Amino acid sequence: MGHRQPLGRGAIKGANVIAEIQIKNIAKHFGDYQALNNINLTIDDQEFMVLLGASGCGKSTLLRIIAGLETADEGEVWIGGRRIDHLSPKDRGIAMVFQNYAVFPHLTVFENIGFGLRMQKLANEVVTRRVERTAELMHIEQLLKRYSGELSGGQRQRVAVARALAMEPDVILMDEPLSNLDALLRMEMRAELKGVLAQSKTTTIYVTHDQVEAMSMADRISVMHEGRIVQATTPVEVYRNPAERFVASFIGNPPMNFIPAAAQGNGKWKVAGQMFDGPNTDIKSLEFAIRPEDIAPAKIGLTVTVKVIEPLGPHLLVTCDIAGALFRAVLDSDLKINPGETITLAPQPDRIRWFNRQSTKAVV
Amino acid sequence: MTIASPEVSADTRKSGRYVYIASVILLCAWVIVPLYFLLINTLSSPEAVNSFPKSFVPDFDLGSLTFFANFAGMLSALKNSILVAGLTMIMSITIGAPAGYALSRFDFPGKGLFRFLILLTRAFPLPLLALPLAVMFIRTGLDDSIFGLALVHTTLAIPFAVLITFSLFSGIPIELEEAAWTLGCNRLTAFQKVILPLVLPGITASAIFAFVISWNEVFAAAVLTIENRTLTAFLLQNLDTSPLHLKFAGGFILVVPALIFIFAVRKYLFAMWGIANR
């Protein structure tokens, strides 16, 4: 530490600086409101980390603390082995993309992308070369002479990303960058952004409330809830093995089904009248959980009453009633069922998860 | 209730439209006709001004204006007016714009009270303040000086300067500044490179407005100056003794700059009251 370049590492040329981010015991209050509570997180060099959570969970606050736009009450932030939480934003080796793009309206696209480079007092040829290269990367080379007012939302977003990339930062921070775009454009930009960022080999922290965005882009997802990180792992792991009931109910559309389960001893559990093998613990009651798509019609299983059938093309989304509770299943669209019918559905045994009803944590 | 037939409602719409147009014409005439008479009489010879009946077209005689320019003390009063207004403009912006920035960007205890107090400075009628001010100015030696009068006018102009610049700065998303910070700026350079270029037209407008406030102000000018009168105070002083064509020419010289300036900066003045932001 201490020997590294102050800013930039040739992000597009290829990395040679390790930009690992360590967040240690970060806490933040706004008055009486605890926005962040003892956050610990390590983000590997070149990793694409998504902070995912509902609005007000503290994900943007955490990002702004890393950027230096907000100060934490407690804790430390380290990037590449250098403590940065006392530095001003410009000295942290970060670049940020904002939700509303924040493209400077009084400058051309060229000067917007080159703004940070000009602040570094780079020679004119260097600025021109780097602006043109990043503009090409983001497919906006034909817009360089325009002003922000003459651009569409998607184009402005490209300018904002290009401006961040041109800085060749150690870390790129993105605060819901796609949420102001319409659905189609968002899907297009999602794939493109993922490609560009992977190519730039820049460590990325990406804040979103959109689970599809998180799933499709992230190397790892940190699910945040009420100011803490509930689970930080790969998208598939978050989906398959939620660490808490909150994750299970937040991720997945439709979300997981939950049914109360009563202990029968020796790892046997009674769920809506049916016996299932579960964890062998002293706890008397747990919650049985299964994803709607891990359910199939069978001879033996949970008996449910069909209430609503929604054909989704390849699947049927079937909403049922099980002992007075809501139960959703995604079934094959060839299935012939009608509302009001009583059917038997069997959960796939290896996909069943169990949650503690008090702590809401997963029980294995 | 019955629904009006299409013909009836079309008829009502038509007559409503006449009323609307008539009101617009009336209101415009209310403002424009006196200004037009002022223009005609200014651009007529002194004889034509004092005679009757009046013509409705100006004969483009510069006699009145020449008389005005040659009237003893008039040009120095004009010069004083410009100096006082210029000083007022500079002082109210250097004090008002930072206050507007602070109000829009920082949260500090007493912010609401501060905004209220700014408005409250306009709650006291000037005549109430004039006597104590005059006494204080005489004690400190500020009386009958251009700087002293500019101080008073600055006090009058600052609330507007603060409110206009507050709304200007508030109209600029904080993210623009934050983006500049992450791109290598500190607070000062971010202000210079991003905020200032964006607010400069508005700041200019607010400066011009301060200029006009001082330019039009007559009471403080009349009370606080004797030798170094501004144009408004000078014209007021000579109101009963001066000939008609001098009054017209003086009025015209007073009205025209204020009118042009206010027209030029109108959109920013609307913004101050939150009517429009563009």
Side-chain angles (χ1 to χ4, degrees):
Chain A
M1 52 179 281
H3 304 296
R4 52 197 300 283
Q5 295 282 316
L7 262 185
R9 57 171 179 141
I12 297 167
K13 297 189 290 279
N16 47 20
V17 172
I18 306 298
E20 181 198 63
I21 305 167
Q22 284 174 295
I23 295 155
K24 300 177 179 173
N25 304 317
I26 290 284
K28 174 79 183 172
H29 301 256
F30 293 112
D32 287 340
Y33 177 67
Q34 178 122 32
L36 290 173
N37 189 358
N38 194 27
I39 300 279
N40 283 286
L41 187 64
T42 301
I43 297 152
D44 296 332
D45 182 42
Q46 300 187 20
E47 189 175 19
F48 195 123
M49 171 65 89
V50 169
L51 303 181
L52 175 66
S55 61
C57 71
K59 54 192 193 304
S60 284
T61 308
L62 181 57
L63 193 79
R64 291 171 59 82
I65 286 172
I66 298 167
L69 300 174
E70 204 92 63
T71 11
D73 298 337
E74 290 164 43
E76 301 171 2
V77 181
W78 295 66
I79 294 180
R82 184 173 67 132
R83 189 173 169 186
I84 55 136
D85 49 77
H86 57 286
L87 299 176
S88 59
K90 68 185 171 70
D91 300 323
R92 294 186 176 206
I94 54 118
M96 188 155 169
V97 179
F98 294 82
Q99 181 175 359
N100 64 3
Y101 324 130
V103 174
F104 303 130
H106 63 298
L107 298 175
T108 60
V109 168
F110 183 99
E111 286 304 327
N112 260 287
I113 299 174
F115 188 89
L117 310 177
R118 295 242 191 260
M119 289 308 295
Q120 290 175 36
K121 305 237 179 337
L122 295 179
N124 244 331
E125 312 90 72
V126 183
V127 174
T128 309
R129 190 159 11 98
R130 272 164 72 169
V131 168
E132 279 172 358
R133 193 178 51 196
T134 34
E136 220 167 290
L137 201 65
M138 294 308 298
H139 306 295
I140 47 172
E141 60 269 37
Q142 73 286 1
L143 304 175
L144 285 174
K145 288 198 179 68
R146 301 236 195 126
Y147 286 90
S148 150
E150 303 163 320
L151 304 177
S152 69
Q155 290 170 332
R156 267 178 232 176
Q157 188 55 64
R158 285 167 187 276
V159 175
V161 174
R163 186 173 64 184
L165 285 174
M167 295 286 288
E168 304 186 353
D170 298 338
V171 176
I172 287 193
L173 307 173
M174 299 197 161
D175 192 359
E176 310 231 9
L178 303 184
S179 60
N180 282 8
L181 304 179
D182 61 59
L184 198 66
L185 202 55
R186 200 180 315 162
M187 210 162 82
E188 194 184 302
M189 277 297 283
R190 200 166 72 200
E192 195 175 329
L193 214 51
K194 186 177 178 173
V196 168
L197 288 168
Q199 196 188 336
S200 77
K201 298 183 172 163
T202 313
T203 311
T204 306
I205 306 182
Y206 186 106
V207 163
T208 183
H209 64 267
D210 182 336
Q211 49 167 303
V212 181
E213 230 168 87
M215 287 281 173
S216 59
M217 297 176 89
D219 291 328
R220 276 198 299 154
I221 296 177
S222 295
V223 183
M224 294 187 66
H225 182 51
E226 290 176 347
R228 63 198 179 89
I229 292 176
V230 179
Q231 189 172 14
T233 183
T234 60
V236 174
E237 188 68 10
V238 165
Y239 189 78
R240 285 280 168 243
N241 296 312
E244 285 187 23
R245 193 187 195 275
F246 168 76
V247 181
S249 62
F250 185 70
I251 307 256
N253 186 21
M256 247 175 164
N257 292 302
F258 300 95
I259 309 170
Q264 307 292 307
N266 293 328
K268 296 283 182 197
W269 296 84
K270 195 171 191 175
V271 179
Q274 276 290 315
M275 296 299 277
F276 286 89
D277 285 328
N280 201 349
T281 70
D282 297 337
I283 309 167
K284 284 282 159 272
S285 98
L286 290 176
E287 240 177 340
F288 165 98
I290 186 78
R291 291 227 172 259
E293 63 271 26
D294 297 332
I295 301 166
K299 291 250 154 44
I300 309 162
L302 300 164
T303 310
V304 299
T305 312
V306 177
K307 298 185 81 174
V308 182
I309 300 166
E310 296 165 76
L312 302 174
H315 306 291
L316 295 178
L317 174 55
V318 183
T319 307
C320 321
D321 183 285
I322 182 163
L326 211 63
F327 189 82
R328 289 195 192 87
V330 173
L331 304 176
D332 196 281
S333 48
D334 288 339
L335 200 69
K336 297 279 176 285
I337 47 172
N338 294 304
E341 251 176 70
T342 301
I343 56 172
T344 315
L345 297 173
Q348 204 175 313
D350 61 325
R351 294 282 165 82
I352 298 171
R353 298 292 175 264
W354 304 86
F355 293 97
N356 186 315
R357 300 185 74 165
Q358 268 76 49
S359 69
T360 76
K361 292 207 185 321
V363 180
V364 204
Chain B
M1 274 210 50
T2 52
I3 296 162
S5 68
E7 303 89 67
V8 171
S9 71
D11 233 36
T12 332
R13 255 206 306 281
K14 213 170 177 183
S15 57
R17 212 167 153 68
Y18 286 135
V19 174
Y20 170 74
I21 290 170
S23 319
V24 168
I25 291 172
L26 193 70
L27 280 173
C28 288
W30 182 270
V31 177
I32 289 171
V33 167
L35 285 176
Y36 184 65
F37 279 127
L38 194 61
L39 179 80
I40 292 171
N41 286 299
T42 306
L43 292 178
S44 303
S45 62
E47 297 76 42
V49 171
N50 289 307
S51 67
F52 201 86
K54 305 267 182 214
S55 125
F56 278 92
V57 271
D59 47 6
F60 296 105
D61 184 298
L62 296 180
S64 293
L65 282 172
T66 324
F67 182 80
F68 169 82
N70 292 331
F71 194 83
M74 196 61 92
L75 281 186
S76 85
L78 184 63
K79 189 192 80 188
N80 285 342
S81 262
I82 292 170
L83 280 179
V84 171
L87 262 179
T88 302
M89 181 172 89
I90 293 166
M91 286 196 290
S92 56
I93 286 306
T94 37
I95 299 168
Y101 182 80
L103 272 177
S104 96
R105 284 292 188 259
F106 301 112
D107 267 320
F108 51 88
K111 184 170 164 176
L113 182 72
F114 181 66
R115 282 180 69 178
F116 177 65
L117 284 177
I118 288 174
L119 282 176
L120 209 63
T121 56
R122 296 306 314 238
F124 299 105
L126 199 54
L128 203 73
L129 302 172
L131 192 64
L133 264 180
V135 171
M136 208 170 79
F137 273 30
I138 290 167
R139 282 199 193 135
T140 48
L142 277 172
D143 62 303
D144 200 14
S145 72
I146 286 178
F147 179 68
L149 187 56
L151 272 183
V152 177
H153 287 177
T154 303
T155 320
L156 297 177
I158 273 182
F160 296 103
V162 173
L163 290 180
I164 296 175
T165 52
F166 165 71
S167 93
L168 282 173
F169 289 125
S170 300
I172 293 174
I174 182 84
E175 283 87 355
L176 286 185
E177 256 180 294
E178 290 179 340
W181 298 340
T182 62
L183 291 168
C185 290
N186 55 36
R187 246 185 206 277
L188 187 70
T189 48
F191 185 83
Q192 280 173 358
K193 293 200 177 286
V194 177
I195 305 303
L196 203 57
L198 292 173
V199 295
L200 210 54
I203 297 263
T204 313
S206 150
I208 287 174
F209 191 58
F211 186 95
V212 172
I213 286 179
S214 167
W215 179 265
N216 284 343
E217 202 284 327
V218 60
F219 190 86
V223 174
L224 295 173
T225 58
I226 300 158
E227 296 292 319
N228 295 312
R229 298 237 126 159
T230 61
L231 193 57
T232 48
F234 189 81
L235 284 174
L236 185 72
Q237 184 185 20
N238 298 309
L239 204 56
D240 45 349
T241 55
S242 56
L244 201 52
H245 50 275
L246 183 76
K247 289 178 195 164
F248 275 122
F252 184 74
I253 296 293
L254 271 176
V255 163
V256 164
L259 210 60
I260 291 172
F261 284 161
I262 292 291
F263 188 75
V265 303
R266 66 196 181 283
K267 69 173 184 178
Y268 294 98
L269 301 181
F270 285 147
M272 173 173 65
W273 291 296
I275 296 169
N277 225 344
R278 284 267 124 208

